């Protein structure tokens, strides 16, 4: 449930054809209430762990956004552009939760009550400066781009965690803590680009880019002193002082060859040097890394298609590398891995698109595959009380792939009637190494989505559209004896708009959602109906009064189910519920003739 109040202004002014100025200010106040209910069932050998939980949160955010634009064109060959942005926000939040864990042998293992409150300040500033100049030779150009991003976050968090154990091998505990967390992320870069045609078909492009980034995270955690009631018991194993400084220098050279008027080919090589310095604290040695890489790239374009290939480096987060054991509670422990390596990413993609005007037919298809070398994978150890220990390791063989397409056809087109239909399909595959206790295998995630829609329109008086969507999610495992999990979701929807009688507009939208595999106690289906009636008035219909009813049947909920690490989880979340809205709108048309 979200309530938003906002306002601001946007001022634009052009001083002739050479100078353009813009100033934007916007304030937004947002209150968000979130209520969730979850059920997770995980199988470990002959034990089935079941955890049910609920979560309630209330968050209020006030945000100021200021932006501007300065663009100067001194002549027809040069352009200078500067864009600054600044955001200032304060967030107050409180949340509470309850969870209960059991297994197929013990009806109740433990219960946990949680309460948290926090105050956070987020400030950010960014700017982008660019200078473009056309050179004397036709098609030649020179570009300079400079960017800066400064982000800071300060938060104070109070947390109370009450664990009640019903077994002898897990002790009950009460944790009352205060955390002072401060983070900064700053990045600056400058790049120079030269584009120069060698002849009518061949163009050379060279880009030099330098980037420096610095990120810090200072976390101080204290336990509450029961004798004094003050949070003054410092917890060194729950605190950290992380600093990562990174410098990147790259030189990208590319040749663009125009095979014909319709076909072009690009081939490039990116030479990249990175220097990373990870600092943890005074008792843990720094970890310094240097990377020298060559990344080739290819791209081909033609009438209605494009294909491309590229490579890049993917660094582990400094928090994943921190060489400490952090015991958050008896139920969760985290171990950093300083030996994590940077991963290499190989990306292939292709697109196909076509429109046949004589048949009123359009279609497109897209495909991509990403191969991962040394990708970072989570390794978990979970005992019979659902106490979890997590770390990260490198493994080869990761893969992400997608394929999709769309076909649209206008069946009939006349002066009064238009009838058409659209078919859409897309799929997603993910493969990654899988670790749970002593088991090591491969996890495959498949998502398949299909949608069929049809629409009718009569003389801009009546329009009707309907669609049916089906989504199938599959989680399968190899090299381990785990069950395959299937989840199906069906959605049927219809939209209607009627402009009758005169000056009246009636809109309606209905959708039916069905989740047959969700567990008992969760809503398997929902009916959502929105209606509105608008009356146009005043000269040239500039005024409009509108009455809207959202979720007339009061059934709007969000339920989803997914599987991971031999567990099945169902989440039910309260979303925006039924409300009635009355609005008035007036269009101002101002035209000044010279």
């Amino acid at each position: 449930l979200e309530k938003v109040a906002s306002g601001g202004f946007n001022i634009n002014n052009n001083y002739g054809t050479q100078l353009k100025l813009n100033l934007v200010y916007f304030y937004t106040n947002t209150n968000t209430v979130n209520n969730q209910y979850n059920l997770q069932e995980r199988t470990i050998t002959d034990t089935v762990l079941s955890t049910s939980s609920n979560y309630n949160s209330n968050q209020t955010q006030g945000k100021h956004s200021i932006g501007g634009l300065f663009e100067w064109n001194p002549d027809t060959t040069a352009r200078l552009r500067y864009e600054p942005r600044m955001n200032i926000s304060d967030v107050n939040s409180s949340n509470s939760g309850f969870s209960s864990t059991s297994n197929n042998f013990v009806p109740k293992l433990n219960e946990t009550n949680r309460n948290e409150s926090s105050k956070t300040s987020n400030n950010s500033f960014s700017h982008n400066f660019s200078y473009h100049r056309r050179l004397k030779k036709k098609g030649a150009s020179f570009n300079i781009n400079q960017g800066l991003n400064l982000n800071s976050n300060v938060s104070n968090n109070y947390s109370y965690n009450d664990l009640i154990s019903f077994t002898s091998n897990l002790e009950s505990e009460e944790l009352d803590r205060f955390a002072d967390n401060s983070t900064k992320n700053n990045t600056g870069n400058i790049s120079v680009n030269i584009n120069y045609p060698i002849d009518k078909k061949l163009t050379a492009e060279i880009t030099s880019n330098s980037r420096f980034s610095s990120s810090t995270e200072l976390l101080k955690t204290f336990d509450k002193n029961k004798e004094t009631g003050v949070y003054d018991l410092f917890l060194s194993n729950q605190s950290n002082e992380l600093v990562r400084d990174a410098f990147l220098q790259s030189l990208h050279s590319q040749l663009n060859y125009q095979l014909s008027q319709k076909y072009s080919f690009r081939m490039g090589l990116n030479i990249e040097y990175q220097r990373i310095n990870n600092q943890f604290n005074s008792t843990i040695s720094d970890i310094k890394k240097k990377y020298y890489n060559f990344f080739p790239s290819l791209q081909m374009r033609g009438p209605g298609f494009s294909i491309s290939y590229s490579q890049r480096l993917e660094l582990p987060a400094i928090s994943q590398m921190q060489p400490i054991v952090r015991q958050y509670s008896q139920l969760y422990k985290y171990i950093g891995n300083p030996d994590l390596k940077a991963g290499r990413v190989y990306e292939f993609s292709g697109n196909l698109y076509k429109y046949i005007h004589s048949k009123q037919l359009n279609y497109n298809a897209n495909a991509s595959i990403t191969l991962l070398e040394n990708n970072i994978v989570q390794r978990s150890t979970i005992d019979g009380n659902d106490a979890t220990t997590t770390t990260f390791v490198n493994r080869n063989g990761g893969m992400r792939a997608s394929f999709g397409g769309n076909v649209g056809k206008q069946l009939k087109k006349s002066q009064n009637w238009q009838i058409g239909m659209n078919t859409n399909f897309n799929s997603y595959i993910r493969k990654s190494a899988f670790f749970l206790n002593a088991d090591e295998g491969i996890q495959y995630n498949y998502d398949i989505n299909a949608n069929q829609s049809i629409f009718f329109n009569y003389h801009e008086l009546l329009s009707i559209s309907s669609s049916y969507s089906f989504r199938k999610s599959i989680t399968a495992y190899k090299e381990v004896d785990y069950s395959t999990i299937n989840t199906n979701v069906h959605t049927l929807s219809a939209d209607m708009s009627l402009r009758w009688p005169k000056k009246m507009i009636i809109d309606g939208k209905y959708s039916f959602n069905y989740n047959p595999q969700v567990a008992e106690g969760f809503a398997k289906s929902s009916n959502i109906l929105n209606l509105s009636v608008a009356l146009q008035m005043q000269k040239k219909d500039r005024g409009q009064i509108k009455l809207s009813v959202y979720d007339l049947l009061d059934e709007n909920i969000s339920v989803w189910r997914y599987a991971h690490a031999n567990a099945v989880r169902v989440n039910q979340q309260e979303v925006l519920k039924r409300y009635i809205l009355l609005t008035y709108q007036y269009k101002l048309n101002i035209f000044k003739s010279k």
Side-chain angles (χ1 to χ4, degrees), residues 266-453:
R266 294 184 178 183
M267 179 176 63
L269 179 65
N270 189 27
I271 304 171
E272 189 175 277
Y273 165 72
Q274 287 195 62
R275 184 181 70 243
I276 312 294
N277 183 23
N278 301 292
Q279 304 175 42
F280 301 102
N281 57 45
S282 58
T283 62
I284 300 175
S285 300
D286 297 351
I287 297 179
K288 298 181 179 181
K289 299 284 187 179
K290 292 182 179 180
Y291 303 97
Y292 301 89
N293 290 284
F294 297 87
F295 297 127
S297 63
L298 298 170
Q299 186 184 75
M300 187 171 184
R301 291 183 176 274
F305 80 92
S306 67
I307 54 176
S308 64
Y309 166 75
S310 63
Q311 295 183 21
R312 59 184 173 85
L313 203 66
E314 198 168 76
L315 299 176
I318 187 173
S319 59
Q320 296 173 327
M321 299 175 63
Q322 189 177 14
I324 64 169
V325 177
R326 178 163 290 173
Q327 184 88 32
Y328 289 97
S329 70
Q330 291 188 78
L331 293 179
Y332 185 66
K333 181 167 64 175
Y334 175 88
I335 302 174
N337 181 2
D339 297 323
L340 286 176
K341 301 176 183 178
R344 199 176 183 100
V345 182
Y346 306 84
E347 296 180 319
F348 306 81
S349 66
N351 293 277
L352 179 68
Y353 41 91
K354 183 74 173 180
Y355 176 69
I356 305 174
H357 185 270
S358 60
K359 297 182 178 180
Q360 297 291 294
L361 174 69
N362 69 86
Y363 63 84
N364 64 77
N366 60 83
S368 69
I369 182 169
T370 301
L371 303 178
L372 307 171
E373 182 182 284
N374 280 333
N375 58 302
I376 298 171
V377 181
Q378 180 175 300
R379 166 173 262 166
S380 299
T381 302
I382 303 173
D383 67 15
N385 292 304
D386 202 23
T388 303
T389 300
T390 297
T391 188
F392 293 92
V393 296
N394 286 109
R395 282 296 183 274
N396 289 327
M399 183 268 289
R400 297 188 297 264
S402 65
F403 172 77
N406 180 84
V407 178
K409 169 69 174 174
Q410 188 145 323
L411 303 177
K412 182 177 181 180
K413 185 176 181 181
S414 65
Q415 187 176 359
N416 295 325
W417 277 97
Q418 291 86 41
I419 303 173
M421 60 187 301
N422 193 76
T423 303
N424 180 271
F425 170 83
N426 62 78
S427 61
Y428 179 81
I429 304 171
R430 180 176 180 178
K431 172 192 173 187
S432 62
F434 167 79
F435 299 92
L436 178 60
N437 294 347
D439 295 333
E440 179 176 346
I442 299 174
Q443 177 174 309
Y444 289 86
N445 294 92
Y446 306 91
D447 276 299
I448 302 170
N449 299 271
N451 174 272
Q452 179 63 57
S453 62

Side-chain angles (χ1 to χ4, degrees), residues 186-188 211-215 244-247:
N186 302 323
T187 303
R211 185 182 73 218
F212 177 79
S213 64
S214 177
S215 62
R244 168 176 281 184
D245 294 326
F247 173 74

Side-chain angles (χ1 to χ4, degrees), residues 540-557:
K540 296 183 179 180
D541 294 335
R542 289 182 178 177
Q544 178 180 278
I545 187 168
K546 184 176 182 180
L547 178 66
S548 305
V549 182
Y550 179 82
D551 188 23
L552 181 64
L553 305 177
D554 201 26
E555 292 188 12
N556 193 19
I557 55 172

Side-chain angles (χ1 to χ4, degrees), residues 10-24:
N10 186 345
I11 301 174
N12 291 281
N13 203 0
N14 294 339
Y15 297 89
T17 59
Q18 293 184 320
L19 181 62
K20 177 188 295 185
L21 296 178
N22 168 253
L23 177 64
V24 177

